[in-house]
Amino acid sequence: MAGAGAVLGAIGLGTGSVAAAPAGSRPDDIIHLDYDEYDDISDLYWLSNGDVDNINFVSDPVYSGESAIQIEVNGDTHWGANAHYEFEDGLFELNTRMRFALNTNWSMEGRDPSNCRLWNCALSLGEASAGGDVPDGTNGWSNRMYVTSRGTDPEGPFHLLSDTYHIDAAQDHNYIMDDDEYALAQPNIVPGVWYDFESYVCVNSVSNGEANSDGIVRYWLDGDLIFERENFSFTSDLGDNIIDTTGPVNHYGGRYEAPKDLFSYYDDHSMALNGTFEFEPCGSGNCTTTPEEESDTEFDDDSSSDLGSDDETDSDTAGDVSEDDIEEALSDAGVELPQGFGELFSR
């Protein structure tokens, strides 16, 4: 049941899809969870909701190797399991890749539309990360990926939904369909097919204790960029309200229940922490360096390393701008940067 183009194999989006990769920073670390190396789910994830008996390693179907994770939600119930991979110190950026599939007779009949959460892309633990509470900038937030029957037949193929809890709204739904302003494609999710899903979430900046609307969420499916939104206000607390967890989940509906026993499958979970998988290496013109004292080095006017100048500033002085000058200017402007953010200037 594995292999591209086969049952539980990847399919493309067809013409009109947008091929793109995140332009991001060098990650602190890249983690790949090889399910073949574990015997107990608790060695990877902890559960906040659902029943531990509903989440298991299985040998069929798998995308690669010998094991995948199966989460079951029983008919006439809501919860399968809500699994979390936790980041002890929190993250400002998280780039995640995983494979997912729905069982071949997955159905979403009974309510139009019906939604089922499949993945927590990024979650800051707190009472406002779910359940209808509105985040206030300090009490949690989240971005989650769902499969939805909106605009489809109850037996599929289905569409995807990005659901976000942020300061401006609880349960901010972006259906990844042609009528959504942030959707770049309208993929169909076919039961019994493996998909390569990737998400990127970056927390917003904070100025004078207030959240700026520049938080980012991006989704890719089978390598194609399908969703991009860059105006989220997740947090006003960059110390204690950043990205805490990510992971697989099967939660059907809200106040409505699954029409029958449903199974979701996951494999090849990888994460780039505080950066992206596809970062620009030094030497590409994307790494800002600090010139040595009394150096004669000048930046070209069109170089991406040029820190910029206004109409009244000679561009030849750009090489004299140091890291300290930048940090002082940001401080004077009231921009609060996360701890360790200044290391990006030396990358």
Side-chain angles (χ1 to χ4, degrees), residues 68-341:
I69 283 178
Q70 171 189 281
I71 304 181
E72 175 183 5
V73 58
N74 296 317
D76 300 326
T77 66
H78 300 287
W79 275 110
N82 192 16
H84 300 263
Y85 185 94
E86 187 164 8
F87 309 104
E88 183 176 352
D89 297 324
L91 303 174
F92 302 105
E93 292 177 88
L94 177 61
N95 193 184
T96 299
R97 289 174 178 162
M98 61 88 176
R99 310 276 184 172
F100 79 91
L102 310 176
N103 63 290
T104 54
N105 63 341
W106 182 281
S107 175
M108 303 186 78
E109 61 186 356
R111 183 182 186 273
D112 186 22
S114 292
N115 302 322
C116 182
R117 185 175 7 149
L118 297 182
W119 194 259
N120 295 321
C121 301
L123 187 149
S124 180
L125 298 174
E127 61 185 8
S129 64
D133 294 321
V134 179
D136 64 11
T138 66
N139 61 349
W141 57 270
S142 62
N143 175 262
R144 301 95 61 84
M145 184 271 284
Y146 285 67
V147 63
T148 177
S149 66
R150 182 177 183 268
T152 72
D153 185 275
E155 306 303 317
F158 304 103
H159 295 312
L160 295 178
L161 162 66
S162 177
D163 180 45
T164 309
Y165 282 71
H166 59 104
I167 293 174
D168 299 323
Q171 294 183 297
D172 189 348
H173 288 173
N174 289 113
Y175 290 92
I176 305 178
M177 300 172 61
D178 291 340
D179 58 356
D180 187 274
E181 63 179 311
Y182 302 106
L184 303 177
Q186 183 173 287
N188 292 322
I189 303 302
V190 178
V193 175
W194 281 105
Y195 292 92
D196 181 358
F197 178 76
E198 179 176 349
S199 64
Y200 171 78
V201 179
C202 182
V203 301
N204 56 273
S205 62
V206 176
S207 298
N208 297 319
E210 298 292 329
N212 297 316
S213 297
D214 55 9
I216 300 170
V217 173
R218 298 187 182 113
Y219 291 169
W220 293 259
L221 194 70
D222 293 339
D224 295 316
L225 183 65
I226 62 170
F227 177 79
E228 182 174 49
R229 184 170 171 182
E230 301 179 327
N231 61 356
F232 285 111
S233 299
F234 296 121
T235 180
S236 59
D237 183 354
L238 295 176
D240 296 318
N241 196 42
I242 51 179
I243 300 171
D244 291 320
T245 73
T246 188
V249 56
N250 191 338
H251 177 233
Y252 196 93
R255 300 181 184 276
Y256 51 97
E257 299 169 336
K260 61 180 181 180
D261 294 351
L262 299 174
F263 301 85
S264 54
Y265 299 94
Y266 308 89
D267 209 342
D268 294 340
H269 181 190
S270 299
M271 297 162 283
L273 315 186
N274 280 328
T276 61
F277 294 108
E278 308 296 338
F279 59 88
E280 294 289 345
C282 288
S284 65
N286 290 285
C287 292
T288 302
T289 58
T290 303
E292 295 181 2
E293 190 175 2
E294 298 181 358
S295 172
D296 293 328
T297 301
E298 297 179 356
F299 295 115
D300 294 334
D301 291 342
D302 60 352
S303 169
S304 59
S305 294
D306 190 346
L307 298 177
S309 59
D310 57 29
D311 293 338
E312 298 180 358
T313 303
D314 188 339
S315 62
D316 287 343
T317 65
D320 296 327
V321 179
S322 69
E323 178 181 339
D324 291 339
D325 294 330
I326 297 170
E327 292 180 341
E328 182 178 354
L330 291 174
S331 177
D332 292 342
V335 177
E336 182 180 338
L337 295 176
Q339 183 179 2
F341 192 82

